[in-house]
């Protein structure tokens, strides 16, 4: 699992090196991924390969910060799991966002955490003595993404306490 962890983080870092921490919409354009909004009932997003064309579908009525997070999660699938999506014709609805026993969902969330939150921004929150919820609010993201970023920093040697995260935080409503 650690190699997958490292691959997800390294892939995000490579894209940050190429494009900076640009908006997820711009990143999708740079990577030639079509992003379409849909009226999903429960799920927040999906990644699909259709005739070798890459698509991300995002729930239309999400708030901007959640759209950003979901889009980066789906870009993570594109970058890390495209071969598996191609093998099975795309990811099914029930495969999206459940990290409990699905390594691909965990990896896509790690990718999103690394892309969304710079080390410096999280350390600034820590230095201000923010708790995880205050940090998430200051960073404009979900507390679970902050917890995953803490795990990333810990692998780099940071002396931080692990933060609990809900493994199904992006699951449907």
């Amino acid at each position: 699992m650690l190699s997958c962890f490292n691959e997800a983080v390294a892939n995000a870092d490579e894209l940050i090196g190429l494009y900076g921490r640009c908006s997820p919409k711009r990143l999708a354009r740079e990577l030639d991924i079509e992003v379409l909004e849909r009226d999903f009932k429960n799920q927040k997003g999906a990644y699909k390969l259709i005739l070798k064309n890459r698509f991300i579908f995002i729930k239309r009525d999400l708030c901007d910060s959640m759209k950003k997070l979901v889009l980066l999660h789906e870009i993570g699938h594109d970058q890390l799991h495209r071969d598996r999506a191609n093998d099975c014709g795309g990811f099914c609805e029930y495969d999206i966002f459940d990290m409990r026993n699905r390594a691909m969902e965990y990896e896509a969330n790690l990718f999103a955490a690394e892309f969304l939150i710079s080390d410096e921004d999280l350390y600034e929150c820590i230095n201000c003595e923010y708790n995880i919820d205050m940090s998430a609010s200051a960073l404009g993201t979900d507390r679970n993404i902050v917890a995953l970023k803490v795990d990333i920093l810990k692998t780099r040697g940071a002396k931080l306490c692990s933060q609990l995260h809900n493994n199904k935080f992006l699951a449907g409503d």
Side-chain angles (χ1 to χ4, degrees):
M1 181 67 111
L2 186 59
S3 67
C4 294
F5 181 102
N6 291 336
E7 181 183 348
V9 172
N11 194 289
D13 288 339
E14 182 179 332
L15 291 176
I16 291 165
L18 290 171
Y19 304 110
R21 276 196 164 76
C22 62
S23 76
K25 285 184 178 182
R26 178 177 164 223
L27 181 60
R29 277 193 311 272
E30 294 287 349
L31 297 172
D32 200 27
I33 304 169
E34 183 77 27
V35 178
L36 303 167
E37 292 191 359
R38 291 291 178 256
D39 294 319
F40 289 133
K41 187 171 186 172
N42 292 318
Q43 78 185 88
K44 291 178 175 69
Y47 173 74
K48 295 278 188 184
L49 277 171
I50 303 170
L51 300 174
K52 297 187 181 181
N53 295 297
R54 296 145 56 206
F55 293 90
I56 293 174
F57 300 97
I58 299 288
K59 186 174 183 181
R60 186 180 318 277
D61 63 354
L62 295 176
C63 68
D64 288 343
S65 63
M66 185 56 73
K67 277 185 183 179
K68 186 176 180 180
L69 173 55
V70 172
L71 185 49
L72 281 171
H73 171 96
E74 299 302 342
I75 291 171
H77 278 309
D78 173 74
Q79 294 297 293
L80 301 165
H81 311 125
R82 190 179 321 155
D83 57 334
R84 293 186 212 154
N86 193 40
D87 291 345
C88 68
F91 295 118
C92 301
E93 179 173 344
Y94 57 81
D95 286 337
I96 303 300
F97 302 129
D98 182 357
M99 293 190 300
R100 284 176 302 164
N101 296 312
R102 301 192 194 308
M104 290 191 303
E105 297 310 314
Y106 177 67
E107 293 160 9
N109 289 333
L110 283 169
F111 174 93
E114 180 66 6
F115 198 94
L116 274 174
I117 304 173
S118 72
D119 295 2
E120 296 78 17
D121 287 346
L122 184 54
Y123 279 125
E124 185 175 324
C125 291
I126 292 167
N127 291 337
C128 290
E129 298 184 4
Y130 289 178
N131 65 28
I132 190 168
D133 292 312
M134 293 164 64
S135 296
S137 179
L139 297 167
T141 194
D142 185 274
R143 71 182 319 273
N144 296 287
I145 289 295
V146 175
L148 289 170
K149 181 64 180 191
V150 168
D151 288 346
I152 292 167
L153 291 177
K154 286 181 64 176
T155 66
R156 295 179 179 151
K159 304 285 188 225
L160 301 171
C161 295
S162 291
Q163 302 295 306
L164 295 177
H165 54 80
N166 177 347
N167 289 329
K168 294 181 74 174
F169 75 99
L170 288 179
D173 300 327

